[in-house]
Amino acid sequence: MRAGEITLETTVCELEVSIKNADGLHMRPAMQFVDIANQYPCDIVVSNNETRVDGKSIMQMSMLAATYGTKLKIRAKGMDAQKAVQALRELVEEKHFDEPTPEERKKNQY
Amino acid sequence: MEIKKGIAVSPGISIAKSLIIDSEDYRIPRRSIKPSQRMIEIQRVRNAFKTAIDELTEVQAGPENLEQGKIRDIFAVHLRFLRDRSLRKKITDLIHSESVTAEYAVSATLREIAQHFSKVKDTYISERATDIYDIERRLLKKLLGHKREDLEHINHEVVVVARELSPTQTAGFNKNFVKGIATDAGGRTSHTAIVARSLGIPAVVALEDFTESISAGDTIIIDGNRGIAIANPDAETIKQYQAYSQEFTQLEHKLVAIKEKPAVTRDGVKITMLGNIEFPGEAELVLEKGGEGIGLYRTEFLYLNRPNEPTEEEHYQAYAQTIRVFKHRPVIIRTLDLGADKYTQSKRFAPEPNPFLGLRSIRFCLQNLVMFKTQLHAIIRASVLGEIKIMFPLITNLQELMQAKMILRDVMEDLDEESVKYNRNIKIGIMIETPSAALTASTLARGVDFFSIGTNDLTQYTLAVDRGNELVSTLYSSADPAVLRLIRMVIQDAYKAQIDLSVCGEMASEPQYIMLLLGMGVRTISLATPMIPEIKQIVRSVTIEDCNNIARKILAMNSERQISTFLNDATRKILPEAF
C-alpha cells in the first residue's frame, strides 16, 4: 500500500488467525463467519496456503475445509476493514465459534 | 430410431414430441439446450433459488416444530448457501458456457462441491457433503416442481418421458395434451400405471434406460398395447403406427355398442359393475362406459399437487360433484390412503425405513385426527346428496376398525351440534387388503356393512413382493394359490355374515380373472373405467355354471404358473381379441 492512497475506501487490514475449535471450520462455524463478514461493507478475502476465497461466501468458506490448527489469513479492504478483521479474529480465536477446543473436550470427558 | 421394449400398462397408441421430467431421486443426465434457451434456464435457476429461500425462511419462522437447535442450525446453513451469490453464479455460468439444462447445472455444480467435501480427510468436515446433497435436492425439487406446474398448463400434445413418475405427478396430467407416458421404472400394478389407465393415457413402463437417450422435443411413439416405446422413428414406422392407432380406435368403437346392454351372464345372473375413480371429473366417464356407480373413489388426489391440506369445503365440493352424477346409485368413498409415498414422507425429517409396513393409510389418519376428521365431516355432510358409502383402507385388525368408527361417531355428533342434516345410516365398509384382515374377516364382518377386496395390496402383502420393484415383480401375481385362498376365505365370510362384497383391485380389471372371480362367488366388481366394456363383454359371454367349474379346478391347483396358463386359455376361448 502506497502512502497517499490511504482513504476510507482503500483501508486494508490483514491478520493471521488459527482455528482453535476441535471440529474445525465445518458448516455452522462457516455460517457464523460469513454472517459476521456480511455485516461489514469491506471486501473480505480469506486464504490458506493454497486457496483464496471470498469471506462472505459460505460455499467458498466451507470449501476451505480448515481443520483444527489451520492458519488462515484474513484480508479486508474498504470501509471498516479494521473492525471487520477484529470481529472475525474474536470469533475464530476467542469464541472459537462457541465450540470446545480439543483440551476443553478432553476435560469434559473425564 | 431407437426401439425399446417395456411393460404395457395402459392401452392405446400415441405419437408426439417428448417432454422429459427428470427426478430429484436420480442422477440428472446431462441434457443440452439450444443457446437461445439459456436465458430461460437461467431464469428458472433464479426462481428455484427464490422459492427455496422463501420455503426455508418459512420453516425457520415456525417455532414449534423445530425446538431442536441442531435442526435449526442445519436449515440456517442451507439458507446461507442459497443466498450465496457465488454459488448461484457458478451454476448460471455453467448454463451459459455449456448450454445445459437448469437441472443439470444445479446438480453438476452442487455435486462437484459435495465431492470436494467428501475428499477432505477430516471426517467431521467430509460428512458435510450430505448437507450439499440436501441443498441439491431441495433446488431440484423446486425446478422440477415448477416444471410439473408448467406441465399442467401445457397447450400442445406431448409424450411424457421420465425415469419414474409418482401417482401425484401422473394424476396432475392434462389428458388432452399428455398423449403418452414412458418411464424407465415401474411395473404393471404400480400406482402410476393405475392412474395412467384410469386417465386413458397410453403408457409403457420398465423401459430401463430410455430417458438417458432422449432429448427434449424428440418424436416418440408409445405403443401401450404391446409395451414398446420408439424414439425418433423413421417415416415408415410412423406410417405403420398411424395405421395401428386407427385399428385400435375401431376396436374401441365396437365395445361402445355394448354399453347399453346389461351386465348379465348367459344364465341370467346380474353382475354389478362399478368404476374406480380418482377425480370427480372421471365420474361422467364411468357412466359413459356403462358403469353403475363408483365402487372405489380414491380421495388422495385432493391432497396431492398442493402445499396445504384441503379444507372441509373442498372435500365436500369434490364429493358433491361426483354424487350429483350418480344421484341414487352407490358411490363408495375411500378415506385417505396415503403413505409410503412422497406426500407423507416429505412431512417427516427422516423417511421411514420401510414405508409399506409403516405409517400409511388408515394408520396415518388415526395419528392425524384433525386431518381425518375434516375428511369424515365432509363425507358425512355429503351423505344426504345420494347413496354415499364410506370405506376405510388398510384395516389390519379389529382395534383399528373400532377406532375409525369411533372417530366417525364423534364427527356425527359434531354435525348434530351444528344441526347439519346427514344420513345417519350411512353404510360403512373396509378394504380387505392385508392377510391379517382376510384371516380375521369373519370377525371384522360383524362391524361393517361391506367388504371390498383390494387385490393389489393383498397380493403384495401376502407374497411379500414390492410390485414396483422390477427385480422381483415377476413374483407378484394375484393368481398365486396363497392369494386365491385368502380371497375365497373373505368371500365365504362375507356371505356367512350376509354383508356386501366387492372386488376393487386390479384383478377385477383383468379379463383373465373375471370367470374365476364369478366362480368364487363375486357378484360386484369395481374396475378401471376404460376396461368396463371389455369386462362386460366377458360377463355376457359366460355362464355361472362354467365359472363355478373353473373356480373349482383352479382352487385345487398348487402352482401359480399352472393357474395362469389355465386362466389365459379359458379366457382366450371366450374373448379372443383380448389376447
Side-chain angles (χ1 to χ4, degrees), chain B residues 359-374:
Chain B
L359 187 64
R360 58 172 298 208
S361 200
I362 193 76
R363 302 169 182 176
F364 183 75
C365 291
L366 293 174
Q367 287 193 26
N368 290 274
L369 285 185
V370 177
M371 183 197 77
F372 191 34
K373 282 184 168 180
T374 304

Side-chain angles (χ1 to χ4, degrees), chain B residues 60-180:
Chain B
Q60 285 260 296
E64 65 262 68
N65 337 333
L66 293 168
E67 312 98 340
Q68 282 174 299
K70 278 233 164 101
I71 293 172
R72 196 179 270 279
D73 274 349
I74 291 169
F75 283 137
V77 165
H78 289 191
L79 207 46
R80 300 307 186 286
F81 266 89
L82 291 169
R83 291 202 181 116
D84 190 330
R85 289 229 175 87
S86 62
L87 170 62
R88 222 173 308 177
K89 188 164 180 307
K90 220 169 141 78
I91 293 169
T92 51
D93 282 354
L94 186 64
I95 296 178
H96 218 90
S97 60
E98 313 237 332
S99 295
V100 287
T101 57
E103 286 87 350
Y104 177 75
V106 163
S107 184
T109 306
L110 284 160
R111 276 172 186 240
E112 188 194 313
I113 297 171
Q115 264 157 28
H116 175 91
F117 282 116
S118 309
K119 276 188 225 137
V120 175
K121 293 240 167 58
D122 185 294
T123 48
Y124 200 80
I125 290 178
S126 69
E127 277 168 15
R128 299 310 105 183
T130 55
D131 279 305
I132 305 295
Y133 286 122
D134 265 4
I135 296 167
E136 180 210 5
R137 233 180 116 80
R138 186 177 294 277
L139 284 169
L140 286 176
K141 265 192 193 162
K142 297 300 154 237
L143 277 174
L144 298 164
H146 289 157
K147 195 158 179 180
R148 284 167 206 146
E149 277 168 33
D150 290 347
L151 188 58
E152 283 169 35
H153 307 125
I154 199 169
N155 54 11
H156 57 277
E157 297 190 351
V158 294
V159 165
V160 171
V161 181
R163 169 82 206 231
E164 187 179 54
L165 289 169
S166 68
T168 326
Q169 282 170 277
T170 320
F173 288 168
N174 177 343
K175 64 175 181 182
N176 291 325
F177 298 114
V178 175
K179 288 295 167 193

Side-chain angles (χ1 to χ4, degrees), chain B residues 343-363:
Chain B
Y343 182 80
T344 50
Q345 299 303 310
S346 70
K347 290 199 182 306
R348 301 173 51 85
F349 276 125
E352 291 178 276
N354 205 344
F356 276 102
L357 303 182
L359 187 64
R360 58 172 298 208
S361 200
I362 193 76
R363 302 169 182 176

Side-chain angles (χ1 to χ4, degrees), chain A residues 3 5 9 24 26 31 34 39 46 54-55 73 80 82 84 92:
Chain A
E5 266 184 10
E9 284 73 29
H26 57 92
M31 171 175 83
V34 300
Q39 287 168 13
V46 179
D54 180 352
K73 213 176 272 171
D80 290 340
Q82 180 86 24
V92 180

Side-chain angles (χ1 to χ4, degrees), chain B residues 372-413:
Chain B
F372 191 34
K373 282 184 168 180
T374 304
Q375 178 174 33
L376 293 177
H377 193 281
I379 297 175
I380 300 296
R381 190 152 73 92
S383 66
V384 290
L385 303 174
E387 206 196 326
I388 286 185
K389 302 181 190 182
I390 193 164
M391 178 160 72
F392 300 121
L394 205 80
I395 294 289
T396 50
N397 59 47
L398 186 62
Q399 177 91 18
E400 277 170 340
L401 172 61
M402 291 316 197
Q403 261 182 289
K405 282 174 70 175
M406 201 174 69
I407 294 159
L408 187 66
R409 270 196 299 278
D410 283 353
V411 171
M412 285 181 170
E413 278 169 26

Side-chain angles (χ1 to χ4, degrees), chain B residues 19-22 160-165 169 181-185 211:
Chain B
L19 188 144
I20 306 160
I21 305 179
D22 285 312
V160 171
V161 181
R163 169 82 206 231
E164 187 179 54
L165 289 169
Q169 282 170 277
I181 295 170
T183 64
D184 291 357
T211 49

Side-chain angles (χ1 to χ4, degrees), chain B residues 217-237:
Chain B
D218 285 353
T219 298
I220 309 282
I221 295 176
I222 299 294
D223 180 345
N225 301 339
R226 270 154 286 215
I228 292 167
I230 305 172
N232 298 313
D234 54 35
E236 182 67 22
T237 311

